[in-house]
Amino acid sequence: MSVQAFTIGLAAPQPLKLGGAALFLDLDGTLAPIAARPQDVAADPRRSRLLETLETGLDGRLAVISGRTLADVDRILEGRVPCVAAVHGLVRRGGDGAVQEAAAHPGLAAAAARLKGFAARDPGLIVEEKGLSVALHFRLAPAHAAEARALAHRIAGETGLTVQDGDMVEELRTPGPTKGDSVRAFMGAAPFPGARPIFVGDDSTDEHGFEEARRLGGFGVLVGPPRATHAAFRLPGVEDVIAWLEGAAR
């Protein structure tokens, strides 16, 4: 089924029931407000307590699937979630603590150098190196958005890196697993099998997660303004997500 088959006027999801559910959560724009600079997102005691309660209530069937590095996810969430897919699925840590990581693409160093050269023109342009990918943030320099996007796509075409369009960011990443692949991998390992997957995310990078959750008998929840999506439901913003999750954790 294509994305066009879904209407953009989605209803809010029903109250979440933890029994039989497997919960997959994006981080930025879903669990935490998006910041102008990625390093500005910090730990939050309310969120950390909530995730700890959900982890227990779901018997471990909770995973965070984020574009951030594994270290950054653990920093922001204070290590409350054992199962994490980082760098959009290129790094995955299971409930047993074992980490699987893709090999870095050889074109990353050259791509990072070119993005840094571009970013030198404006202090609002931020280059974030993640080991398996490199991202160019332009939220603080929106006048350069079109040129930044064009440059990222040009580099991807020249190097074979995968370009990932995001919310005021362009990311060049090692080709490999997506967020949807991460959902499938988690659902194939204890304690997830047999549960109904629910994927909550805000960005275009989360669409693979929505699709895979639906394919496996669950659904996606879009966070933010209405748009064409594979999600079945929508919540307006981060606070609404937290409230929805807290309703299930009580």
Side-chain angles (χ1 to χ4, degrees), residues 25 120 141 145 184:
L25 304 172
R184 183 166 60 254

Side-chain angles (χ1 to χ4, degrees), residues 183-237:
V183 171
R184 183 166 60 254
F186 279 126
M187 289 297 294
F192 292 90
R196 187 186 192 194
I198 301 168
F199 192 104
V200 188
D202 70 304
D203 209 344
S204 59
T205 60
D206 297 310
E207 290 295 331
H208 292 297
F210 298 153
E211 288 186 86
E212 189 62 23
R214 188 187 76 238
R215 193 186 72 80
L216 294 174
F219 59 88
V221 180
L222 173 67
V223 182
R227 60 171 171 82
T229 180
H230 288 97
F233 302 98
R234 186 180 71 88
L235 290 167

Side-chain angles (χ1 to χ4, degrees), residues 1-47:
M1 187 179 295
S2 71
V3 68
Q4 287 80 15
F6 288 82
T7 62
I8 61 174
L10 301 177
Q14 294 294 312
L16 176 63
K17 298 184 184 302
L18 300 184
L23 196 55
F24 300 95
L25 304 172
D26 178 41
L27 205 171
D28 294 277
T30 299
L31 287 175
I34 293 175
R37 302 185 305 163
Q39 62 266 38
D40 291 341
V41 179
D44 177 77
R46 176 189 177 192
R47 181 177 58 229

Side-chain angles (χ1 to χ4, degrees), residues 89-102:
L90 294 173
V91 178
R92 185 168 57 86
R93 183 178 66 201
D96 60 358
V99 177
Q100 298 180 32
E101 183 171 334

Side-chain angles (χ1 to χ4, degrees), residues 47-85:
R47 181 177 58 229
S48 296
R49 288 193 299 269
L50 171 60
L51 291 171
E52 190 169 29
T53 301
L54 289 171
E55 167 73 15
T56 300
L58 288 162
D59 295 323
R61 299 185 307 274
L62 171 68
V64 167
I65 301 183
S66 171
R68 286 184 179 264
T69 64
L70 184 58
D72 227 11
V73 172
D74 284 343
R75 172 184 67 81
I76 295 167
L77 303 184
E78 299 185 289
R80 294 304 203 278
V81 182
C83 294
V84 175

